[in-house]
Amino acid sequence: MVYDFKEVEKKWIDRYDSFAGYKGVDFDKKEKKYVLVEFPYPSGNGLHVGHAFSMTGADVYARFMRMNGFNVLFPMGWDAFGLPTENYAIKMGINPVIVTKQSTDNFKEQMRRLALSFDWDREVNTTDPEYYKWTQWIFTKLFEKGLAEKQEMAINWCPSCLIGLANEEVVDGKCERCGSETERRTISQWVVKITDYAERLLDGLKNTSFIDKVKAAQVNWIDKRVGANIVFEVKGSSEKLEVFTTRPDTLLGATFMVIAPEHKLVAGVMDKEDIKKYVEESRKKSEMERAELSKEKTGVFSGLYAINPINGKEIPIWIADYVLISYGTGAIMAVPSHDERDEAFAEKYDLEIDREFVPDEKMIDEIIEKGVGEKSVNYHLRDWIFSRQHYWGEPIPMIKCPVCGWIPVPDSELPVKLPEVEKYQPTSTGESPLANMTEWVETECPKCGGKARRETDTMPNWAGSDWYFLRYCDPKNDDKLADMEKMKYWMAVDVYVGGDEHNTLHLLYSRFIYQFLYDLGVVPKEIPEPYYMRLSHGVILGTDGNRMSKSHGNVIVPESVADIYGTDVLRTYMMFMGPFDSTMAWNERSLVGVKRFIEKLNKLVTDQVGKNGDGDLESSRIVHKLIKGATEDISRLKFNTVIAKLMETVNELTRAKVLVSDENLGNIVKVLAPFAPFVAEELWSVLGGEFSVHTQMFPKYEENYLYTSGVTLSVQINGKLRGTVEVNIDANEEEVRAVAESQEKVQKYLSEGTIRKVIYIKGKTINYVVA
RNA sequence: GCCGGGGUGGUGAAAUGGUAGCCACGCGGGACUUAAAAUCCCGUUCCCUUUAAAGGAGUGCGGGUUCGAUUCCCGCCCCCGGCACCA
């Protein structure tokens, strides 16, 4: 019988739409398992095979957990605010709400075809006012707790998008979204003080079992440095110069000081023409550009001298933009004999380098004793610029009253809905288009009732994804972001599958928001961290080896494969391509191998069903070996080797021409089910099983089928393979030696010297050391 | 420069201290067929060899530990991803 995937998919797909087997059941007695895969940004291009790959991997795992008796929560939603939708809306003059609807409908249908077993009853959308009501609520709480404030600050500015960018959104001095050169500009911005949680964010990693590289990414991003702040007098001035150093022991080796161009001491020397010029030029550079100029450091002498607090030595103070005002105190003591950057700078400007200098540990005590410095901890983590001058984001729910100052919008008036506007682009002043909505902007102060104005900035795209995993626990709750008891049941996320690109920002921001909510008492006190385990999925690149994107023109959509080969072959192939966490270029070359495998399996089952009673012992051995291997491999997300084992099983059973019982045919089908849901369902029904195969228990292997008395050992002579022997698994060294040494070839090599030693590793090898 | 990941056949890859290359693609040969497709069977790391047997080399490079190293350690080279010159 030829396998017709179109007919089979058509037969089952509708039944899965309302299938109870895929739903997470609140408070179910079964043990829960929360499997989360990052929700996508629903772009107009649709879901590509990269998405399909990571989601299918998570789906296989979720299905496997269900078949192991867990009550699985496997939800999906849309992180739908963002610039591409806004840009498309601007270009086409269409409301982003409509654009978003079209995109999410399209994504959802694609996911349906991929047979992803999401619980659609829990679908969330960050652009839904019922959802962003709570995103806004969180912001008002941040404000109330003093963790959000407006700051006049120099930011990266994109002159094309007319928007402020966080440092991480500037790539090579260019705007990440539009590619324009960015500049520095001072603007009033909402800033969220994530740095207050730096220590907690480091410490909390102890409560997780993230894979090592994810933990490392978090630790390195926070980058805690312990050192000292040391105060220098400035010669002929009442001003003092404070520096942060991780090496207070090198204090006596300091031969010059460097301050950032933004440092307050610079203001006093701006009358000098060369200094003024230097400061103005560095102001134009973004931090990225300053970083890029690493090979050619620039600076200018301030004319000022600092006094070393220990030995009274006069040290010249230089101004250089390789020192950043945002880190430490914006000033350093330079020890060119112990720091390569300082050395390069000293050589360029012909400054003193004390090559004889030896660091002195006791210096630290002396500094503290003299009261000229103190222990200091710095984190490289920076506060989070939270304002965007854009339309398509959550309005920041704040009101500016000329009398009362900034007042958060009261809970009862949330959500602050995005008003309809005529134009979606930012205003010519760089304000968000909401600023033009006079009747929306003008409001009353919630506190004094006087005339006041709404904030017109919107939130960054990270805001909605900071807490979405909580909303899945209770997606329709109108009174709170989620019910405490439901969160207590489902949280923490057991396995969070995501991309490396989110291992720093998204992961850190969402952990921060969770910890903040924890302190607020709105999430369960038993659960200090949101994610128990974080795994990285790999990336599927285009056939050209580049990331899939419209601009590269290398996007492969899953339907193009599913139309020809079917969903099962596509899914199984993606899982077979390589390890789940590795980067691979899309290549359809061996897709046909998976197709052949599915057809062979189909033939095996339809040929043998109902004919073979108990089957042959040999077939049970083969099938139980599969069950054991598959159980271990899926648990470790080693999907590619499970497929290899399935292929091997079908090949062995076909070649051995053994009789296979219906039970064992069913066992193979169950192992296949997480990967190829449609054909597994069909074959399960051929075998007379009840709908659905996906709610069956994953088979358990039986030890007695796996036991083999015979084993093949390698025979090595001086570590080189010289033969193999078949022996009983429990054979002792003498027995193995007798068999091995009866072989002509082994005798030949043994006769070349005297046996000095024999190493026998039971079940594996016997090695003769001959000299 | 810093951080993370990686380097194994013609290709995707497997093996995490014990027979390197499972499984799959591709390729070669054969069966079936009027023919082709599909399917099935055999072979396929490289070198030497008509073939086979036998041998040698072999997991980026150079060392080391070990009876034995793709796997562990030290040094180096190259590729990919991330980055904020972080004092």
Side-chain angles (χ1 to χ4, degrees):
Chain A
M1 185 170 81
V2 177
Y3 172 64
D4 181 348
F5 73 85
K6 281 184 183 153
E7 207 161 290
V8 170
E9 288 183 20
K10 200 173 134 200
K11 181 170 165 189
W12 300 107
I13 194 165
D14 294 338
R15 289 188 73 170
Y16 293 138
D17 287 342
S18 56
F19 180 43
Y22 294 164
K23 313 259 183 242
V25 181
D26 294 334
F27 310 121
D28 194 279
K29 283 198 186 69
K30 283 195 259 179
E31 195 179 334
K32 69 94 185 180
K33 194 67 84 171
Y34 190 169
V35 181
L36 182 64
V37 60
E38 285 170 355
F39 63 165
Y41 175 77
S43 79
N45 301 330
L47 190 92
H48 58 65
V49 291
H51 296 111
F53 171 75
S54 51
M55 289 176 184
T56 301
D59 185 60
V60 168
Y61 189 75
R63 287 174 179 276
F64 178 70
M65 285 302 159
R66 280 191 205 104
M67 294 178 78
N68 277 282
F70 288 96
N71 177 29
V72 173
L73 177 55
F74 185 49
M76 186 36 64
W78 316 105
D79 188 16
F81 277 127
L83 273 183
T85 300
E86 176 162 307
N87 289 338
Y88 185 77
I90 290 168
K91 197 169 136 199
M92 307 302 281
I94 307 174
N95 189 328
V97 172
I98 295 164
V99 178
T100 298
K101 180 76 170 65
Q102 286 167 350
S103 296
T104 54
D105 283 351
N106 181 33
F107 266 62
K108 198 168 172 179
E109 179 55 26
Q110 287 182 296
M111 291 177 183
R112 183 175 177 264
R113 267 203 76 182
L114 279 165
L116 297 169
S117 61
F118 297 127
D119 178 354
W120 287 109
D121 292 351
R122 293 171 187 267
E123 179 178 356
V124 301
N125 186 324
T126 57
T127 66
D128 179 352
E130 292 309 306
Y131 181 91
Y132 69 66
K133 171 179 174 178
W134 298 105
T135 312
Q136 291 176 330
W137 180 83
I138 292 169
F139 185 87
T140 63
K141 296 297 154 197
L142 286 167
F143 176 81
E144 285 168 11
K145 296 292 175 188
L147 289 166
E149 61 184 32
K150 263 226 157 160
Q151 288 178 11
E152 284 288 331
M153 58 189 308
I155 56 150
N156 303 303
W157 178 260
C158 174
S160 166
C161 300
L162 299 172
I163 186 180
L165 301 172
N167 287 319
E168 52 269 19
E169 291 172 312
V170 180
V171 178
D172 291 336
K174 297 189 176 80
C175 171
E176 188 183 48
R177 306 279 181 170
C178 75
S180 308
E181 294 279 337
T182 60
E183 40 190 70
R184 302 289 283 173
R185 184 161 168 171
T186 301
I187 191 168
S188 179
Q189 298 274 65
W190 284 102
V191 171
V192 171
K193 287 153 82 179
I194 188 172
T195 49
D196 284 10
Y197 276 69
E199 196 62 43
R200 275 277 287 289
L201 289 165
L202 268 181
D203 198 49
L205 291 172
K206 287 179 200 145
N207 299 321
T208 71
S209 54
F210 296 171
I211 56 171
D212 289 347
K213 73 166 169 177
V214 176
K215 263 189 189 173
Q218 297 267 299
V219 169
N220 292 337
W221 191 263
I222 297 167
D223 196 8
K224 178 181 181 177
R225 299 277 173 133
V226 178
N229 277 6
I230 301 173
V231 181
F232 291 67
E233 304 281 342
V234 177
K235 189 188 168 193
S237 160
S238 60
E239 300 266 13
K240 296 194 194 302
L241 178 57
E242 186 172 23
V243 303
F244 172 69
T245 178
T246 54
R247 295 290 307 275
D249 56 319
T250 63
L251 176 56
L252 294 182
T255 55
F256 62 100
M257 315 288 286
V258 186
I259 60 177
E262 300 87 350
H263 196 276
K264 63 178 188 210
L265 274 183
V266 175
V269 292
M270 281 291 272
D271 51 325
K272 291 188 184 167
E273 208 43 52
D274 56 336
I275 293 175
K276 195 177 167 193
K277 197 174 154 212
Y278 183 76
V279 169
E280 275 171 8
E281 268 173 19
S282 63
R283 194 171 283 164
K284 286 182 200 153
K285 299 179 200 166
S286 69
E287 285 181 5
M288 276 303 290
E289 283 170 312
R290 288 197 195 177
E292 270 184 23
L293 297 171
S294 61
K295 277 167 195 146
E296 192 58 35
K297 296 181 206 328
T298 61
V300 61
F301 179 48
S302 70
L304 300 170
Y305 288 86
I307 312 288
N308 189 312
I310 299 298
N311 62 8
K313 190 180 164 188
E314 290 185 12
I315 307 172
I317 302 172
W318 282 67
I319 300 164
D321 63 12
Y322 79 91
V323 170
L324 304 175
I325 192 69
S326 52
Y327 185 74
T329 61
I332 63 164
M333 60 178 205
V335 187
S337 53
H338 283 79
D339 186 296
E340 280 181 31
R341 281 163 311 119
D342 295 345
E343 186 181 11
F345 191 81
E347 277 172 356
K348 180 171 175 185
Y349 292 101
D350 206 17
L351 301 167
E352 186 195 345
I353 303 173
D354 181 1
R355 299 208 185 271
E356 306 300 307
F357 172 71
V358 181
D360 179 7
E361 285 284 342
K362 289 188 211 114
M363 188 53 57
I364 299 162
D365 298 332
E366 200 170 327
I367 289 164
I368 292 164
E369 216 169 273
K370 285 204 173 184
V372 294
E374 58 187 14
K375 192 184 165 195
S376 169
V377 176
N378 269 268
Y379 300 91
H380 203 234
L381 178 68
R382 290 183 199 171
D383 282 332
W384 179 9
I385 300 172
F386 210 74
S387 286
R388 297 292 183 274
Q389 292 70 43
H390 270 277
Y391 176 74
W392 195 230
E394 302 90 343
I396 292 177
M398 296 297 296
I399 292 168
K400 178 75 177 280
C401 170
V403 181
C404 311
W406 283 108
I407 303 292
V409 174
D411 294 1
S412 61
E413 287 174 35
L414 294 176
V416 176
K417 285 192 188 172
L418 257 178
E420 298 234 356
V421 296
E422 304 229 333
K423 286 183 174 175
Y424 302 106
Q425 53 265 62
T427 64
S428 54
T429 61
E431 287 181 289
S432 115
L434 300 181
N436 285 336
M437 299 295 298
T438 312
E439 70 268 37
W440 182 81
V441 172
E442 291 180 354
T443 185
E444 288 175 359
C445 171
K447 196 173 170 190
C448 71
K451 271 195 173 180
R453 291 175 62 82
R454 285 185 192 280
E455 173 59 75
T456 60
D457 284 354
T458 53
M459 297 188 195
N461 48 346
W462 309 104
S465 57
D466 282 338
W467 67 281
Y468 74 118
F469 48 88
L470 295 173
R471 191 65 175 172
Y472 285 138
C473 298
D474 189 17
K476 294 180 181 72
N477 197 318
D478 201 32
D479 296 325
K480 43 186 88 162
L481 47 85
D483 177 77
M484 186 64 91
E485 292 305 311
K486 288 181 183 172
M487 284 189 282
K488 213 180 270 183
Y489 180 78
W490 289 114
M491 290 294 286
V493 174
D494 291 281
V495 177
Y496 191 14
V497 178
D500 285 341
E501 69 276 19
H502 291 131
N503 282 346
T504 48
L505 296 177
H506 164 65
L507 208 62
L508 202 70
Y509 290 156
S510 60
R511 288 183 57 229
F512 160 62
I513 292 295
Y514 185 88
Q515 291 183 347
F516 169 70
L517 295 172
Y518 183 90
D519 290 348
L520 220 53
V522 298
V523 296
K525 63 179 187 301
E526 298 84 355
I527 305 164
E529 283 281 331
Y531 315 118
Y532 178 63
M533 187 193 269
R534 165 81 180 187
L535 298 170
S536 288
H537 61 69
V539 178
I540 299 207
L541 305 171
T543 49
D544 57 359
N546 290 311
R547 218 164 245 278
M548 280 194 196
S549 76
K550 209 175 178 180
S551 59
H552 282 121
N554 60 356
V555 175
I556 308 283
V557 294
E559 302 89 281
S560 66
V561 181
D563 286 346
I564 302 166
Y565 294 97
T567 293
D568 288 326
V569 170
L570 168 63
R571 284 175 56 111
T572 308
Y573 176 64
M574 288 190 297
M575 296 299 97
F576 183 57
M577 278 178 76
F580 187 55
D581 58 0
S582 77
T583 300
M584 310 162 264
W586 180 254
N587 186 335
E588 297 184 11
R589 193 179 301 171
S590 44
L591 199 51
V592 66
V594 174
K595 174 178 174 267
R596 287 175 190 152
F597 155 69
I598 298 273
E599 283 167 355
K600 272 188 233 175
L601 175 61
N602 180 67
K603 187 171 185 309
L604 178 77
V605 173
T606 51
D607 281 357
Q608 297 227 8
V609 58
K611 293 176 190 165
N612 298 313
D614 294 338
D616 292 342
L617 180 61
E618 181 61 15
S619 72
S620 288
R621 288 202 180 114
I622 293 168
V623 172
H624 282 259
K625 187 176 73 184
L626 167 72
I627 296 167
K628 183 170 193 278
T631 305
E632 289 165 359
D633 289 357
I634 299 177
S635 307
R636 294 183 299 151
L637 287 90
K638 300 213 65 172
F639 304 134
N640 53 335
T641 55
V642 182
I643 311 296
K645 283 170 178 139
L646 273 161
M647 289 172 168
E648 212 176 338
T649 300
V650 172
N651 289 344
E652 278 185 50
L653 291 174
T654 308
R655 273 176 210 159
K657 296 196 165 65
V658 290
L659 302 179
V660 189
S661 66
D662 283 8
E663 188 189 338
N664 274 332
L665 293 173
N667 284 339
I668 300 169
V669 167
K670 286 181 208 163
V671 173
L672 179 73
F675 299 92
F678 291 120
V679 68
E681 192 73 82
E682 177 65 17
L683 293 177
W684 182 246
S685 110
V686 167
L687 287 163
E690 281 191 18
F691 185 83
S692 160
V693 70
H694 303 299
T695 45
Q696 301 303 311
M697 286 301 284
F698 201 83
K700 299 257 182 283
Y701 64 89
E702 288 171 36
E703 208 59 63
N704 58 314
Y705 289 123
L706 298 175
Y707 180 80
T708 47
S709 56
V711 66
T712 307
L713 301 186
S714 61
V715 181
Q716 298 174 26
I717 289 150
N718 289 334
K720 284 209 179 281
L721 180 71
R722 296 302 180 190
T724 58
V725 288
E726 305 283 335
V727 294
N728 188 287
I729 194 151
D730 295 317
N732 63 28
E733 183 176 327
E734 259 174 60
E735 291 164 338
V736 174
R737 281 189 65 166
V739 180
E741 287 163 30
S742 70
Q743 291 184 2
E744 206 176 303
K745 195 167 149 187
V746 173
Q747 283 168 11
K748 187 189 140 202
Y749 282 96
L750 289 180
S751 69
E752 284 172 6
T754 318
I755 299 172
R756 303 283 180 194
K757 198 173 171 187
V758 178
I759 293 110
Y760 169 51
I761 309 293
K762 204 171 142 186
K764 291 188 170 164
T765 193
I766 183 161
N767 189 11
Y768 293 86
V769 182
V770 174

